[in-house]
Amino acid sequence: MVEGSMTQGAGQGPVVRTATLRDFRVPPYAQVPVQSQVPPHADVAQEHAAQEQTAQEQAAQEHVMPQDQAPPARTEQSQQPPEPAHPGNAVPEGEAPDGYTPTERDLPVINLGGPGDTVQVQVDPDEAPAPDGLGPLYVVGDVHGYLDELVAALGAQGLIDAEGHWAAGHARLWFLGDFTDRGPDGIGVIDLVMRLSAEAAAAGGYCKALMGNHELLLLGAKRFGDTPVNSGAGTATFQAAWLLNGGQKSDMDRLQEVHLQWMARLDAVIEEDEHLLMHSDTTAYLEYGSSIEDVNDNVHEILTRNDADECWDLFRKFTKRFAFRDEAGPQAVRELLAAYGGRRIVHGHSPIPYLLGEVGTEDGEDGERPVVEGPHVYADGLAIAMDGGVTMAGKLLVVQLPLSN
């Protein structure tokens, strides 16, 4: 189905609002308390079957309910065990969702550059104090549907407790985009991030997110489907590109209006504690404005206009990579910093093994997997890469900024 413009709040019951993101909403089912203990397998299977049935019913209704009809309220009994195995709307442990097609590696499809060498650079930490009343700053690299790894990484940093709830008080947490595709539970990842955003705001901190190229890709696949677009290299469609880039049927089946609205309102770039945060290692952001506000406003306006060709061009440009690598890299970083502020760029998008030229299969070459211990600092110390390559048996990175020695 090809969708037109999105309907504000269609098919949603009471929502929780917070100022941490633009018109941020938390779906009712994401507000249900969860338990850290994994239920017995039979209960998990029963829960999974119930989730699949719900997804099928929603798909049959084209994910939209009448404006005057809200979903029935969940009773206390409905919130009792069996509980989901993860804080997000997750699939049972050890069971891949229907339609899950794992990819061997996170190979970019559009404008892939050749491998090259970069140099690891040790940088002294910045000692810039956090804004009044706010705690330490953390960033998260590309997640790509790997909910288990995300929960483990957030827990290791003390950002969530054993039950998956916000436990970091006034801390600030930024996700750098790419929540879905390739991994088994992209919607579960989005649900977790949305819920943590509300919980963090209530605790005096915040959890926010940037828009990645895979958010643009999923939005385009849902809105435009097989509608032909002018790709610059012949006819293409969002649907074909989404599948080629690891799109998962289980994510599309569970995608709801609230997810679409949340993704469409994400900002593209932000400056925090003199760190310029963005998803992609590209200078294409400069084509959308000379200030952070202009870039974010222009991206949101493009998505609101809902023109397939214009949205495709936005996706294509945000899929470019490797602008900060090699000899011209430091100057490219300086151009972005001069325009938008900050002393260092922090990005995801390009897996660190690719930046280092260590390209191999998921099992690695000669039986060895890519080894990623932490962020990669390069471009004369001006850029920090945060995609540890979780889709290729790498590491999902959650780190505190500024970096320490």
Side-chain angles (χ1 to χ4, degrees):
M1 173 182 175
V2 178
E3 297 216 345
S5 59
M6 298 181 293
T7 302
Q8 174 77 15
Q12 299 300 320
V15 296
V16 176
R17 291 182 179 270
T18 172
T20 57
L21 285 176
R22 298 189 180 198
D23 197 24
F24 170 75
R25 293 183 170 212
V26 180
Y29 59 80
Q31 303 169 33
V32 179
V34 297
Q35 304 295 328
S36 59
Q37 183 177 1
V38 179
H41 177 74
D43 291 339
V44 174
Q46 180 180 0
E47 178 73 12
H48 180 49
Q51 292 176 353
E52 290 298 321
Q53 180 178 358
T54 300
Q56 293 171 5
E57 292 173 354
Q58 291 171 340
Q61 299 174 7
E62 297 181 342
H63 303 282
V64 178
M65 297 180 64
Q67 292 282 357
D68 58 351
Q69 180 180 351
R74 298 185 66 156
T75 63
E76 289 297 324
Q77 182 177 1
S78 68
Q79 297 180 13
Q80 300 302 315
E83 295 284 358
H86 296 289
N89 185 19
V91 298
E93 183 176 2
E95 293 186 26
D98 293 339
Y100 172 50
T101 54
T103 53
E104 288 189 350
R105 48 176 137 156
D106 191 10
L107 283 176
V109 173
I110 299 176
N111 291 319
L112 171 63
D117 297 328
T118 58
V119 178
Q120 295 279 3
V121 180
Q122 292 296 329
V123 179
D124 293 332
D126 294 328
E127 298 298 337
D132 292 342
L134 293 176
L137 173 65
Y138 293 83
V139 291
V140 184
D142 300 34
V143 182
H144 281 300
Y146 284 88
L147 182 61
D148 288 352
E149 289 78 359
L150 175 60
V151 170
L154 293 174
Q157 290 283 4
L159 295 168
I160 61 175
D161 60 23
E163 296 182 345
H165 294 293
W166 182 259
H170 291 190
R172 297 164 292 157
L173 178 62
W174 274 99
F175 285 80
L176 299 180
D178 277 10
F179 301 102
T180 67
D181 304 335
R182 306 193 189 281
D185 195 8
I187 299 302
V189 170
I190 291 177
D191 285 339
L192 174 61
V193 176
M194 294 173 72
R195 179 168 59 76
L196 289 178
S197 296
E199 293 177 355
Y206 56 74
C207 170
K208 301 185 181 183
L210 294 178
M211 181 179 295
N213 61 305
H214 279 263
E215 280 69 65
L216 294 170
L217 184 57
L218 182 57
L219 282 167
K222 179 62 176 177
R223 289 182 177 184
F224 307 115
D226 288 324
T227 300
V229 295
N230 182 12
S231 69
T235 302
T237 71
F238 270 105
Q239 178 74 10
W242 174 70
L243 291 172
L244 189 61
N245 281 274
Q248 302 299 316
K249 180 179 182 298
S250 58
D251 284 345
M252 186 64 74
D253 288 344
R254 295 156 62 202
L255 189 63
Q256 299 183 23
E257 184 70 18
V258 66
H259 301 129
L260 295 169
Q261 293 184 22
W262 182 78
M263 288 189 292
R265 291 187 174 98
L266 296 177
D267 284 336
V269 61
I270 199 74
E271 191 268 336
E272 192 89 31
D273 290 2
E274 297 188 310
H275 292 86
L276 187 62
L277 309 182
M278 57 181 58
H279 174 71
S280 304
D281 46 326
T282 177
T283 58
Y285 294 91
L286 294 169
E287 301 180 36
Y288 293 92
S290 58
S291 70
I292 288 176
E293 182 178 11
D294 288 344
V295 172
N296 293 329
D297 286 346
N298 286 332
V299 168
H300 295 146
E301 288 174 5
I302 289 171
L303 294 176
T304 299
R305 285 194 291 269
N306 210 39
D307 177 85
D309 286 333
E310 195 174 18
C311 288
W312 177 269
D313 190 57
L314 178 65
F315 159 70
R316 179 182 63 83
K317 289 176 179 176
F318 278 18
T319 304
K320 294 180 178 180
R321 63 180 79 233
F322 300 145
F324 313 147
R325 196 178 66 170
D326 304 324
E327 293 182 1
Q331 180 57 34
V333 175
R334 291 186 179 96
E335 290 179 9
L336 287 160
L337 296 177
Y340 305 136
R343 295 176 55 192
R344 184 173 294 131
I345 284 179
V346 183
H347 70 86
H349 189 50
S350 292
I352 292 171
Y354 289 131
L355 286 171
L356 296 174
E358 300 170 352
V359 179
T361 64
E362 185 174 348
D363 293 330
E365 296 179 354
D366 299 326
E368 295 184 0
R369 292 182 174 182
V371 177
V372 176
E373 299 297 339
H376 174 51
V377 181
Y378 68 118
D380 290 349
L382 297 174
I384 302 174
M386 280 291 301
D387 185 351
V390 67
T391 64
M392 51 187 297
K395 187 176 183 179
L396 201 163
L397 298 178
V398 179
V399 302
Q400 183 178 348
L401 297 178
L403 295 182
S404 60
N405 285 330

